[in-house]
Amino acid sequence: ADRLFREFVLDAETLQVGYADFVSPAVGLRMELPTFDLGPDPWGDADGDGLGGMGEYIVGTDPSQWDTDGDNVSDAAGPSAHQTSRVYSA
């Protein structure tokens, strides 16, 4: 209980990103996630692939490589709906 989390979200169609902080409730209490405000990626796009640094963090790609997995497709073309959020405990 009372553990701080941050969830990052990426809209796979628009590549807009956002995050929200929340605290876990006590055992047995209902938890509701906060609302996310999405916007342009504030971390920039160091490799020029169209997917900003926060987006790269969310989907697990390398922000310094245009094509992280070597399939000749930019990282921006790769995100799918099942890869669009990441949660970490602070």
Side-chain angles (χ1 to χ4, degrees):
D2 297 330
R3 188 167 178 188
L4 179 63
F5 290 89
R6 174 170 284 173
E7 181 165 11
F8 291 88
V9 181
L10 167 72
D11 182 320
E13 290 183 24
T14 66
L15 301 181
Q16 290 190 326
V17 296
Y19 69 89
D21 295 329
F22 59 97
V23 176
S24 62
V27 174
L29 295 180
R30 182 182 170 150
M31 183 176 93
E32 293 187 29
L33 290 177
T35 301
F36 293 89
D37 293 322
L38 300 179
D41 195 317
W43 294 1
D45 183 11
D47 58 9
D49 62 4
L51 183 59
M54 187 183 294
E56 301 252 16
Y57 170 75
I58 293 167
V59 299
T61 53
D62 185 338
S64 66
Q65 291 187 13
W66 182 84
D67 175 20
T68 298
D69 61 6
D71 64 356
N72 292 318
V73 177
S74 82
D75 291 340
S80 63
H82 69 278
Q83 298 174 302
T84 55
S85 74
R86 177 172 280 199
V87 177
Y88 82 89
S89 173

